Amino acid sequence: MPYFTRLILFLFCLMVLVESRKLKKRRWTGQLEMPKPSHLYKKNLDVTKIRTGKPQPLLRVDDHDFTMRPAFGGPAIPVGVDVQVESLDSISEVDMDFTMTLYLRHYWKDERLAFSSTSNKSMTFDGRLVKKIWVPDVFFVHSKRSFIHDTTTDNIMLRVFPDGHVLYSMRITVTAMCNMDFSHFPLDSQTCSLELESYAYTDEDLMLYWKNGDESLKTDEKISLSQFLIQKFHTTSRLAFYSSTGWYNRLYINFTLRRHIFFFLLQTYFPATLMVMLSWVSFWIDRRAVPARVSLGITTVLTMSTIITGVNASMPRVSYIKAVDIYLWVSFVFVFLSVLEYAAVNYLTTVQERKERKLQEKCEMPQSRTMMLDGSYSESEANSLAGYPRNHILTEEERQDKIVVHLALSSESNSSRKKGLLKGQMGLRIFQNTHAIDKYSRLIFPASFIFFNLIYWSVFS
C-alpha cells in the first residue's frame, strides 16, 4: 500500500506539472482566452430547430379539417379584399379586352390557425402552406387568361397572426373582357371592369367585401397607356344571382379611359381632309384638260378608299356606324362628287360645242348672190361689179380694171372682217372655258365641307 500510494502521488504531481507548463506556454503565445461576459453567450431560441422527442408544431394544421370553411355551420365568414394595381398593360379594341397586373390581398380570421407566442407578432409563409389550409376561392369573372407569377418563386405570401387573422397576398396578371362602345370612336371614352367573386360559396357562407371602401383600391401613379388617358379608378360591389346556385357577392374594379385623339388626327382626319381639298383643285383646271382632271379625281378616290380600309382593319367588325366612319364616308362622297362634277361639265361642254358648230355652219352660208368669175359675164354684171350703173357703158379695158380694183377691195375688207371675228371668238372661247358649274363648285364644295366639320366636331367632341 505505501508503494501504491507513492505511485499515485507521483502521477498526480506529473500531471500538475504538465498542465502548468501548458498554461505558461499559452500565456506566452497569447492563445489564452479571457473570460467573456455571460450575456454575450445568450442566443435567441430557434423555434425551427428539430428537437428530440415529440415535435411541437407552430400551427396545428394536422389537428383540423381545413377542407371546411372557418366557423362551418355558423354565419357567413367575412373576407376583406384590397387590390393594388401595378400596371395596365394593354387595351385591345379588336378583341375587346384588357390586361392588368395587380396585387390581390385577402383578409379573414380562422381560429384554427391561432397560436400562442410572446415574441412573434406574426408568422409569414410562402405558397407551400396554402395547399394545407383553407383559403377563399376567389376568381375573376369574364376573365380570358390569368396566372400567378412564379419568378423566381411563386409570388404568394401568407401571414398568420396569433389571434388567427390571416393575410393572403398574390401577384396576378389577368386578361378580362371589356364591353366597348365604338359609336363615338375615336372620340370615345371606355369604362372597363374587373370583377371578383367566390366560385363555390354563396353569400350565406362567405361575405366578400372591400376592406377599406374606396381606399381598398390603390394604383401606381406611373401607370400610362399610349392611346388612352386613365381618368379614374373606383370600386363597387353588388350581388350576382345564378338561377341554379343562388346569390354571390361580387366586387368590381372600375376604371374609365379617355382616348387620345392626336394620333387619329394625324393618321386619319388630316389625310382625309387634304384629299377632299385636293379634289377641289380640278375646279380651277381647264375643262378641256381631260387627262389632268380625270387622273386627279381617280387618285383622290383611290386614296380615300385606302384610308377607309386601313382604319377598319384595326377595328372590330361592329354592326353600327362609328364616328370616324361618318367623317371618312362623307369625305369620300365629297371626293366622288368632284369626279361627277367634271363628268357633268364635260358632257355639257360637248353638247354646247355641237350647237355652236351647227350655228356656225348656218352663219357661213352666203347672204348675197355669188358669181362665178370664169371669163363669161354680161355687160350689166360687169358695170355693177365696177360700181357703175347698169345703163353706163364702159370700154373693155375700163371694165377689166374696175373689176380688178373692186375684187381687191372686197378681199381686203373680207380679210379684216375675218381677223376681227377670230379675235372675238378667241376671247369668247377663253371666257367660256370656265364652265358655270365649275364657278359654283368653287364656292359650294368648300362651304359645304366647312359646315359639315362644324356640325361633326360640335356633336362628337
Side-chain angles (χ1 to χ4, degrees), residues 2-18:
Y3 177 76
F4 183 72
T5 304
R6 290 177 183 178
L7 180 60
I8 292 175
L9 291 174
F10 176 76
L11 292 175
F12 180 75
C13 293
L14 183 62
M15 291 176 61
V16 171
L17 181 62
V18 172

Side-chain angles (χ1 to χ4, degrees), residues 277-292:
M277 297 175 65
L278 183 62
S279 66
W280 300 340
V281 176
S282 63
F283 302 152
W284 276 266
I285 299 177
D286 188 358
R287 61 178 177 174
R288 301 182 187 279
V290 177

Side-chain angles (χ1 to χ4, degrees), residues 59-60 64-66 68-72 74-81 105-115 133-136 158-168 205-209 211:
L59 298 178
R60 298 186 301 273
H64 302 279
D65 182 10
F66 282 96
M68 312 298 289
R69 69 172 178 88
F72 180 77
I77 174 175
V79 177
V81 175
R105 303 184 183 97
H106 307 78
Y107 303 85
W108 74 94
K109 185 177 181 179
D110 191 346
E111 295 181 354
R112 296 171 295 183
L113 297 176
F115 63 94
I133 65 172
W134 180 90
V135 293
L158 188 71
R159 183 171 295 169
V160 182
F161 296 87
D163 58 353
H165 281 88
V166 182
L167 166 60
Y168 177 40
D205 292 324
L206 190 145
M207 183 180 67
L208 206 63
Y209 69 97
K211 187 174 185 298

Side-chain angles (χ1 to χ4, degrees), residues 286-432:
D286 188 358
R287 61 178 177 174
R288 301 182 187 279
V290 177
R293 295 189 66 164
V294 171
S295 60
L296 180 61
I298 293 176
T299 301
T300 53
V301 169
L302 293 178
T303 305
M304 284 301 306
S305 301
T306 303
I307 294 174
I308 294 173
T309 304
V311 171
N312 291 328
S314 60
M315 293 296 298
R317 295 189 177 100
V318 295
S319 59
Y320 50 85
I321 298 176
K322 304 181 290 292
V324 69
D325 294 334
I326 296 175
Y327 193 90
L328 291 179
W329 280 104
V330 170
S331 300
F332 182 84
V333 169
F334 271 93
V335 172
F336 188 72
L337 287 178
S338 66
V339 177
L340 295 181
E341 185 270 348
Y342 178 65
V345 169
N346 190 28
Y347 174 75
L348 295 177
T349 301
T350 303
V351 173
Q352 185 178 0
E353 287 180 349
R354 289 177 182 176
K355 292 181 179 180
E356 291 179 353
R357 192 178 300 111
K358 291 180 180 180
L359 183 61
Q360 187 177 1
E361 290 176 355
K362 292 180 180 180
C363 293
E364 288 179 354
M365 294 179 63
Q367 298 179 358
S368 60
R369 184 172 56 89
T370 58
M371 180 178 57
M372 300 297 296
L373 301 177
D374 55 355
S376 60
Y377 46 86
S378 61
E379 183 177 355
S380 61
E381 290 175 349
N383 291 333
S384 62
L385 286 174
Y388 293 97
R390 294 180 179 270
N391 55 6
H392 186 74
I393 299 174
L394 296 175
T395 62
E396 186 69 20
E397 294 180 357
E398 289 178 352
R399 280 200 299 268
Q400 292 179 358
D401 293 339
K402 295 295 182 181
I403 290 172
V404 171
V405 172
H406 183 74
L407 291 175
L409 291 174
S410 299
S411 63
E412 289 180 0
S413 62
N414 290 332
S415 63
S416 62
R417 189 180 297 110
K418 287 181 180 179
K419 290 181 180 179
L421 289 174
L422 289 174
K423 290 182 179 179
Q425 290 178 358
M426 289 178 63
L428 183 61
R429 184 172 300 173
I430 294 174
F431 177 76
Q432 290 179 348

Side-chain angles (χ1 to χ4, degrees), residues 89-91 99 107 134 139 148 158 170 203 229 231 273 292-293 300 333 343 384 441 449:
D89 301 326
S90 63
I91 305 291
T99 302
Y107 303 85
W134 180 90
F139 77 104
I148 299 175
L158 188 71
M170 297 177 290
D203 61 339
L229 173 65
Q231 291 186 332
T273 304
R293 295 189 66 164
T300 53
V333 169
S384 62
S441 298
F449 192 70

Side-chain angles (χ1 to χ4, degrees), residues 41-93:
Y41 287 97
K42 185 178 181 180
K43 295 183 179 179
N44 294 327
L45 182 63
D46 188 1
V47 296
T48 64
K49 185 177 180 180
I50 300 177
R51 295 177 175 82
T52 58
K54 186 178 180 180
Q56 297 179 356
L58 298 176
L59 298 178
R60 298 186 301 273
V61 177
D62 297 332
D63 297 343
H64 302 279
D65 182 10
F66 282 96
T67 60
M68 312 298 289
R69 69 172 178 88
F72 180 77
I77 174 175
V79 177
V81 175
D82 69 33
V83 172
Q84 181 174 351
V85 179
E86 181 182 5
S87 64
L88 193 58
D89 301 326
S90 63
I91 305 291
S92 175
E93 291 89 355

